[in-house]
Amino acid sequence: MSRLFAYARVSTVQQVTSNQKEEIAAAGYDIEDHRFIEEQVSGSVCAFQRKGFKSLIEKLETGDTLIVSKLDRLGRDSIDVQKTVEYFTQHGIRLKVLNLGDVDVTSSTGALMVRVFAAFSAFEKDILVERVQSGLARARKEGKTLGRKTKTTAAQRKTICQRRLVDKVSVSQLARDFNISRATILSIVAAEAAA
């Protein structure tokens, strides 16, 4: 007999999985609590490296069905999602994604949809990267300073180096005096030494 499982993931501890749980219930799926796997882990972590997802994989058997609210809950990028879908297909586990119209993405139609969405996603990401790079190049050309604003002036950095290297003032004392972190002091001194 086929068993139903569900997987819900959020990226940060400030977020909750309750919306995903409600979406799955609203779609008519009644998942037993011990078969509903929830975790808080960044989407940048590959699916098979997530603790909750790994425990889910250990429970799933051929013929089971896994429900997720959205495709991006499964993987960090299109390649990760495709690998996950391939794993389920090879092991005879159905994978239904609600925001794709409750489609079983392990079916031939669903697999095609995943590939099309993955291609569009990759294209969209490439376009975004091109726009960012173009914007950065334009800003540099206009003479704009990029990156985080420095916490110290050139004169302060010179004083910090003088006091650290010549007067032998401790890093902690300099950090207190200039109200910046020890790491910033070390970075300033290292940059001066490299110059």
Side-chain angles (χ1 to χ4, degrees):
M1 182 173 126
S2 176
R3 302 175 302 164
L4 282 178
F5 288 82
Y7 176 72
R9 180 190 63 76
V10 290
S11 298
T12 67
V13 290
Q14 290 85 11
Q15 297 172 319
V16 292
T17 57
S18 55
N19 287 350
Q20 294 171 58
K21 204 168 194 174
E22 288 170 14
E23 288 172 22
I24 291 169
Y29 294 104
D30 183 25
I31 311 292
E32 296 175 33
D33 284 341
H34 68 280
R35 292 187 181 155
F36 201 108
I37 307 300
E38 303 170 78
E39 69 180 331
Q40 296 172 323
V41 62
S42 170
S44 65
V45 177
C46 291
F48 288 92
Q49 293 176 351
R50 300 178 195 152
K51 185 178 178 182
F53 194 79
K54 284 198 287 191
S55 75
L56 170 67
I57 293 298
E58 292 169 4
K59 295 177 183 181
L60 289 168
E61 299 173 358
T62 300
D64 288 342
T65 300
L66 175 64
I67 315 295
V68 293
S69 63
K70 296 177 183 165
L71 198 57
D72 68 354
R73 302 298 84 194
L74 289 176
R76 69 175 182 168
D77 55 27
S78 58
I79 293 170
D80 192 29
V81 170
Q82 287 181 31
K83 285 181 181 177
T84 304
V85 170
E86 286 172 17
Y87 174 88
F88 287 123
T89 303
Q90 291 168 358
H91 289 82
I93 300 164
R94 295 178 68 210
L95 176 59
K96 294 191 133 204
V97 181
L98 299 183
N99 78 329
L100 297 182
D102 199 12
V103 170
D104 176 6
V105 296
T106 56
S107 68
S108 55
T109 303
L112 174 62
M113 286 179 69
V114 168
R115 287 188 188 98
V116 169
F117 282 123
F120 275 114
S121 176
F123 173 71
E124 194 174 52
K125 187 176 180 182
D126 289 345
I127 294 294
L128 179 64
V129 167
E130 284 177 16
R131 285 184 187 149
V132 168
Q133 294 302 323
S134 173
L136 290 172
R138 185 175 56 251
R140 280 189 206 100
K141 191 175 180 180
E142 293 170 0
K144 294 182 180 175
T145 304
L146 302 176
R148 189 183 300 174
K149 190 174 179 179
T150 59
K151 296 179 180 182
T152 57
T153 65
Q156 288 173 322
R157 290 190 293 277
K158 187 173 182 175
T159 302
I160 288 169
C161 291
Q162 167 74 27
R163 290 182 62 198
R164 177 71 186 130
L165 299 172
V166 177
D167 302 337
K168 304 296 183 196
V169 176
S170 74
V171 173
S172 297
Q173 184 61 51
L174 289 169
R176 285 190 295 275
D177 291 348
F178 287 89
N179 197 26
I180 55 179
S181 71
R182 289 174 39 84
T184 302
I185 296 291
L186 292 170
S187 168
I188 290 168
V189 174
E192 178 65 25

